[in-house]
Amino acid sequence: MNLVLLMLLAGLVFAQPPQFGRNQPEFVRQGQQLIREGKLDEALSLYRSNLKTTPDSLPANIAAGTLLDLMGKGDDARQHFQKAIDAAPDAMAKANAERAMAMSWAFSGNCRQTVKYEQMVFEYYVTTKDFYQQGEMADEAARVCIDNGDLDTAYQWYKTGHDAGLKQPDITPERKNLWEFRWEHAQARIAARKGNRAEADKHVAAAKALLDRDAGMARQQGSFFPYLAGYVALYRGDYQAALEQLRQANQNDPFIQCLMGDSYEKLGQKENAMECYRKAASATAHNPPSAFARPYALKKLAAR
């Protein structure tokens, strides 16, 4: 295994499979402890030992697949996620496993395959008439696509998420503002990636206006605005302004850490950049920010 990867993995705090919450099986907790100690092969052996006796175990397959994704072994990971999908006892469990599969493809930087599985999860929430979760799944797919440069697909799925969320029959003004804020946020980032400064600025201003008129949402979503402003500044080439904004965003978000690393790198501050990438490379969540940040940061560190 790559030396940089070994050093980073030694300090991992493994993220538990989300569908098991605090009730994850004992062997999963044991595996997490082994990973915190840097004993990845032992953790994988533990999961595989469980799978020898219970090959259809959802927690074992999800845990093994998640670990393999973090180790950069996506093909192996997806074999476990497929087993979890096939063995799922009900529609909800199947949707959870499909979502894990979507994130596995995200770790491999594959927008199209991520969308394929996120759409399956989206359709599950159509059957349950859960409009909020429909929006969440669409936005999750879009996030993976924008991070990997497929801007048109990202736009399509962000719009789908926005429109689905607003279909909630009993939607509150606060929830409506949330979906509008997310939509403005997404359009600003897409415009920035396309080099359309005026369009990006228009959507940044619209996002700020939504926060200014909704104090509750400003408290809950406020940290996402400096992320947006920093993102737009970075793609505009104003790296110092990007840093000033990003320092006000969530410093524990590995994606923010990568944006800061890129800003420092553009400013010629290599050591600061590497420190940001080291933090991002230690991400252990199985979600879109980590799916982009962890592989990206590891490549940056390996190329140093």
Side-chain angles (χ1 to χ4, degrees), residues 109-122:
N110 192 317
C111 159
R112 296 292 178 175
Q113 286 294 323
T114 299
V115 166
K116 173 183 173 181
Y117 285 94
E118 291 281 16
Q119 186 161 16
M120 295 176 186
V121 186
F122 180 94

Side-chain angles (χ1 to χ4, degrees), residues 11-23:
L12 282 181
V13 178
F14 190 56
Q16 66 191 37
Q19 55 267 56
F20 305 119
R22 296 178 181 176
N23 298 317

Side-chain angles (χ1 to χ4, degrees), residues 102-103 106 110-112 114-119 122 134-148 150 153-154 157-158 288:
M103 284 303 99
N110 192 317
C111 159
R112 296 292 178 175
T114 299
V115 166
K116 173 183 173 181
Y117 285 94
E118 291 281 16
Q119 186 161 16
F122 180 94
Q134 290 172 41
E136 287 277 281
M137 295 306 98
D139 278 9
E140 195 167 82
R143 172 67 185 272
V144 172
C145 290
I146 191 174
D147 289 348
N148 287 283
D150 191 336
T153 301
W157 279 95
Y158 273 126

Side-chain angles (χ1 to χ4, degrees), residues 74-97:
D75 289 343
D76 292 339
R78 287 186 284 276
Q79 292 181 32
H80 288 286
F81 293 133
Q82 187 60 55
K83 288 179 181 178
I85 292 170
D86 293 340
D90 54 48
M92 178 179 285
K94 184 176 181 180
N96 285 333

Side-chain angles (χ1 to χ4, degrees), residues 7-262:
M7 292 171 61
L8 290 164
L9 286 171
L12 282 181
V13 178
F14 190 56
Q16 66 191 37
Q19 55 267 56
F20 305 119
R22 296 178 181 176
N23 298 317
Q24 73 268 39
E26 177 60 27
F27 76 88
V28 174
R29 289 194 292 271
Q30 292 173 359
Q32 292 171 357
Q33 181 59 38
L34 288 170
I35 293 165
R36 282 191 289 270
E37 296 170 1
K39 301 174 181 178
L40 302 187
D41 290 337
E42 289 185 35
L44 194 56
S45 294
L46 175 64
Y47 297 151
R48 286 176 169 165
S49 176
N50 185 276
L51 286 165
K52 284 181 181 178
T53 56
T54 54
D56 293 336
S57 165
L58 264 69
N61 277 298
I62 295 290
T66 299
L67 174 55
L68 287 163
D69 272 333
L70 294 173
M71 295 171 72
K73 300 179 178 181
D75 289 343
D76 292 339
R78 287 186 284 276
Q79 292 181 32
H80 288 286
F81 293 133
Q82 187 60 55
K83 288 179 181 178
I85 292 170
D86 293 340
D90 54 48
M92 178 179 285
K94 184 176 181 180
N96 285 333
E98 289 166 344
R99 188 178 183 187
M101 177 72 92
M103 284 303 99
S104 183
W105 282 112
F107 269 84
S108 295
N110 192 317
C111 159
R112 296 292 178 175
Q113 286 294 323
T114 299
V115 166
K116 173 183 173 181
Y117 285 94
E118 291 281 16
Q119 186 161 16
M120 295 176 186
V121 186
F122 180 94
E123 293 299 333
Y124 164 73
Y125 286 114
V126 169
T127 67
T128 65
K129 294 182 169 56
D130 190 330
F131 298 99
Y132 180 78
Q133 286 299 328
Q134 290 172 41
E136 287 277 281
M137 295 306 98
D139 278 9
E140 195 167 82
R143 172 67 185 272
V144 172
C145 290
I146 191 174
D147 289 348
N148 287 283
D150 191 336
L151 305 181
D152 292 339
T153 301
Y155 182 92
Q156 172 192 338
W157 279 95
Y158 273 126
K159 187 176 188 307
T160 297
H162 166 265
D163 294 349
L166 290 177
K167 290 179 182 177
Q168 183 176 332
D170 57 347
I171 193 167
T172 63
E174 292 77 13
R175 180 61 61 80
K176 182 177 184 297
N177 284 342
L178 174 63
W179 287 116
E180 297 297 349
F181 175 75
R182 288 179 172 180
W183 180 222
E184 296 295 347
H185 199 291
Q187 290 179 93
R189 285 180 287 129
I190 291 170
R193 293 288 294 271
K194 290 184 174 182
N196 191 333
R197 179 169 183 166
E199 185 74 7
D201 287 347
K202 180 183 76 172
H203 292 297
V204 169
K208 182 65 164 57
L210 284 162
L211 292 177
D212 288 345
R213 74 171 184 243
D214 188 332
M217 190 173 71
R219 286 192 296 271
Q220 295 177 3
Q221 302 294 317
S223 67
F224 290 98
F225 184 77
Y227 154 36
L228 172 60
Y231 188 106
V232 170
L234 175 61
Y235 279 96
R236 181 178 294 160
D238 192 344
Y239 307 120
Q240 191 59 50
L243 275 175
E244 290 172 4
Q245 291 291 335
L246 292 168
R247 288 182 183 127
Q248 301 174 57
N250 181 1
Q251 298 301 289
N252 295 319
D253 184 329
F255 187 77
I256 299 297
Q257 292 161 359
C258 284
L259 294 180
M260 292 179 68
D262 288 349

